[in-house]
């Protein structure tokens, strides 16, 4: 629990966190607490999970939904255009330990070779997502009187070490039970082929294809996000009316490349609040993954995510972007003021160089 308390205290007390604090407070003031334990959990063991709920509240509000939190489960009933959908939020977390476990973007046990990286993405990541998703499905929320007959969605974020740096691809292969292979035809055009995955073997063994499991047809889709975090609230505040002179922020990461033959994302870095960059919406970092076997399928783009994924007739997973600047994953660097323009420019350049080097290493692994 110490890890969570320290995260709360840093958010509450550090001057660098002023934009995040103000934005979190603004959203929290508009969200009801049917369980009566939101504040206690936010300040202790539920810090990540409750932050994720605040993010979802902001995302759904931005999308124009009417929110109902009068029931203690599931977390949200959201309505728009005559349709009401039940949403339950869950996080994938590190394996509990007695010692302090700070979140690390690159943990000590991170994969160090191409083989380790591929095995981690195809096996261990799926297991980390599979356990909380399966547990939530076992609760059969669709049998509750206020949920019966409505679409049901599970929203998930991965707070396991390094998990916030993973895109929706990391969960899609588990949900659909499909691995993808990329190649080019004689004309130089990208061809994507799908291959079935039966099991994921890592710290334990679980079946793949969550959407094909018994009872999974009651789940209309999975809302994935890697952005329901304190840095997101900080960036939203810094680019808006909670801008602070105590800090300058640099956001860097990978984003969608519209080139139809691209097999790697583009990289980016910019100062948060730069008027030459697009304003970051709440939906940025979210992907809605449609269940092809859903009893109650959702209309395309209804939920308000930045992208959606569907199973194609050819047996591959196809992503469609809502925004031209669709971020796959990002990190936020906080610079304590006074930070000069030169310092910020150097930080941006350094982040771009690191991302390009990482991308080059990834491409060499695939070759």
């Amino acid at each position: 629990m110490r890890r969570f308390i320290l995260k709360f205290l840093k958010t509450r007390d550090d001057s660098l966190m002023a934009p995040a604090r103000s934005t979190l407070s603004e959203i929290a003031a508009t969200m009801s607490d049917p369980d009566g334990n939101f504040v206690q959990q936010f300040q202790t063991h539920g810090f990540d999970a409750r932050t994720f709920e605040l993010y979802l509240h902001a995302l759904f509000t931005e999308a124009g939904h009417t929110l109902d939190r009068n029931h203690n489960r599931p977390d949200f009933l959201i309505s728009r255009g005559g349709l009401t959908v039940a949403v339950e939020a869950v996080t994938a977390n590190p394996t509990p330990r007695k010692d302090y476990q700070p979140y690390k973007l690159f943990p000590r046990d991170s994969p160090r070779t191409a083989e380790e990286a591929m095995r981690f993405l195809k096996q261990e990541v799926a297991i980390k997502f599979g356990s909380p998703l399966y547990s939530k499905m076992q609760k059969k929320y669709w049998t509750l009187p206020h949920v019966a007959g409505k679409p049901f969605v599970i929203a998930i974020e991965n707070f396991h070490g390094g998990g916030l740096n993973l895109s929706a691809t990391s969960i899609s292969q588990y949900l659909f039970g499909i691995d993808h292979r990329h190649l080019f035809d004689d004309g130089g055009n990208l061809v994507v082929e799908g291959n079935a995955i039966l099991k994921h073997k890592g710290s334990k063994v679980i079946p793949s294809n969550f959407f094909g499991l018994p009872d999974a047809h009651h789940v209309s889709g999975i809302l994935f996000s890697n952005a329901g975090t304190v840095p997101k609230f900080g960036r939203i505040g810094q680019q808006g009316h909670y801008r602070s002179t105590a800090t300058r922020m640099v956001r860097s990461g990978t984003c969608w490349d519209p080139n139809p033959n691209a097999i790697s994302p583009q990289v980016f870095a910019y100062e948060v609040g730069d008027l030459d960059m697009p304003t970051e919406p709440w939906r940025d970092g979210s992907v809605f993954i449609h269940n092809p076997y859903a009893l109650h399928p959702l209309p395309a783009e209804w939920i308000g995510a930045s992208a959606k994924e569907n199973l194609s007739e050819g047996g591959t997973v196809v992503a469609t972007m809502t925004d031209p600047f669709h971020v796959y994953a990002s990190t936020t660097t906080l610079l304590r003021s006074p930070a000069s323009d030169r310092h910020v420019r150097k930080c941006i350049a350094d982040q771009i160089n690191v991302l390009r080097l990482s991308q080059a290493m990834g491409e060499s692994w695939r070759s």
Side-chain angles (χ1 to χ4, degrees):
M1 183 179 292
R2 178 173 173 240
R3 155 174 93 96
F4 298 107
I5 295 175
L6 289 176
K7 291 173 75 170
F8 166 73
L9 292 176
K10 179 177 176 61
T11 304
R12 187 192 69 179
D13 299 334
D14 195 326
S15 61
L16 293 176
M17 310 301 287
R21 276 197 301 275
S22 297
T23 310
L24 284 163
S25 297
E26 178 184 290
I27 301 302
T30 67
M31 193 169 81
S32 60
D33 179 16
D35 296 328
N37 56 15
F38 187 97
V39 172
Q40 183 268 335
Q41 291 188 5
F42 181 75
Q43 296 180 3
T44 54
H45 66 279
F47 181 84
D48 291 337
R50 292 308 198 177
T51 301
F52 183 43
E53 284 185 35
L54 287 166
Y55 163 76
L56 291 173
H57 188 279
L59 185 153
F60 296 147
T61 301
E62 176 187 71
H65 296 292
T66 300
L67 278 62
D68 177 357
R69 281 175 56 85
N70 292 321
H71 306 277
N72 61 3
R73 64 189 187 110
D75 294 307
F76 298 92
L77 289 178
I78 60 175
S79 303
R80 188 177 70 174
L83 177 64
T84 297
V85 175
V87 182
E88 174 68 6
V90 67
T91 56
N93 303 306
T95 302
R97 291 194 332 222
K98 293 182 179 180
D99 57 328
Y100 171 51
Q101 300 177 77
Y103 175 83
K104 293 183 178 180
L105 187 61
F106 302 106
R108 289 183 178 180
D109 58 352
S110 294
R112 299 185 182 277
T113 66
E115 293 76 14
E116 288 178 357
M118 293 302 294
R119 183 167 58 251
F120 176 75
L121 289 172
K122 292 184 178 181
Q123 311 299 342
E124 203 60 46
V125 170
I127 292 170
K128 284 297 179 184
F129 279 120
S131 180
L133 288 177
Y134 184 77
S135 295
K136 286 296 182 182
M137 189 170 66
Q138 293 301 104
K139 296 183 181 297
K140 301 183 185 297
Y141 291 97
W142 52 86
T143 63
L144 297 171
H146 56 282
V147 179
K150 298 179 176 65
F152 172 63
V153 168
I154 303 176
I156 189 167
E157 182 158 14
N158 185 7
F159 286 92
H160 176 257
L164 295 173
N165 203 36
L166 299 175
S167 69
T169 304
S170 62
I171 189 174
S172 294
Q173 61 178 4
Y174 164 66
L175 296 176
F176 292 103
I178 295 175
D179 186 20
H180 292 90
R181 185 167 73 100
H182 303 85
L183 56 133
F184 291 91
D185 62 20
D186 294 338
N189 299 308
L190 179 65
V191 178
V192 180
E193 296 179 346
N195 301 299
I197 303 173
L198 299 180
K199 296 180 180 179
H200 299 278
K201 302 177 182 180
S203 54
K204 60 182 177 180
V205 180
I206 66 169
S208 192
N209 187 15
F210 174 84
F211 286 144
L213 295 176
D215 280 340
H217 61 285
H218 291 288
V219 181
S220 300
I222 302 297
L223 178 60
F224 166 86
S225 175
N226 57 13
T229 61
V230 170
K232 173 78 166 186
F233 288 84
R235 295 194 303 270
I236 294 292
Q238 185 73 357
Q239 72 180 10
H241 54 280
Y242 293 127
R243 188 173 186 86
S244 172
T245 57
T247 181
R248 297 181 74 170
M249 300 181 187
V250 171
R251 187 189 189 198
S252 59
T254 55
C255 60
W256 175 53
D257 188 337
N259 181 351
N261 287 327
I263 60 173
S264 297
Q266 294 181 337
V267 301
F268 71 88
Y270 65 89
E271 182 178 6
V272 176
D274 185 340
L275 298 180
D276 291 330
M277 292 300 298
T279 300
E280 180 180 356
W282 284 108
R283 65 179 174 271
D284 181 276
S286 64
V287 179
F288 186 71
I289 306 167
H290 290 263
N291 183 353
Y293 318 114
L295 180 64
H296 302 290
L298 279 186
E301 301 181 10
W302 182 88
I303 206 160
S306 180
K308 63 179 183 292
E309 291 188 354
N310 293 91
L311 183 64
S312 72
E313 293 182 359
T316 61
V317 180
V318 177
T320 305
M321 312 306 173
T322 302
D323 301 313
F325 182 57
H326 173 77
V327 174
Y328 292 127
S330 71
T331 59
T332 304
T333 303
L334 302 180
L335 305 175
R336 197 175 295 275
S337 293
S340 66
D341 291 345
R342 181 180 179 182
H343 188 188
V344 172
R345 288 195 298 269
K346 183 180 185 304
C347 182
I348 291 173
D350 289 345
Q351 295 292 346
I352 289 290
N353 288 335
V354 169
L355 288 164
R356 286 175 175 167
L357 177 61
S358 177
Q359 195 170 68
M361 292 176 62
E363 290 172 354
S364 69
W365 287 352
R366 287 194 295 266
S367 63

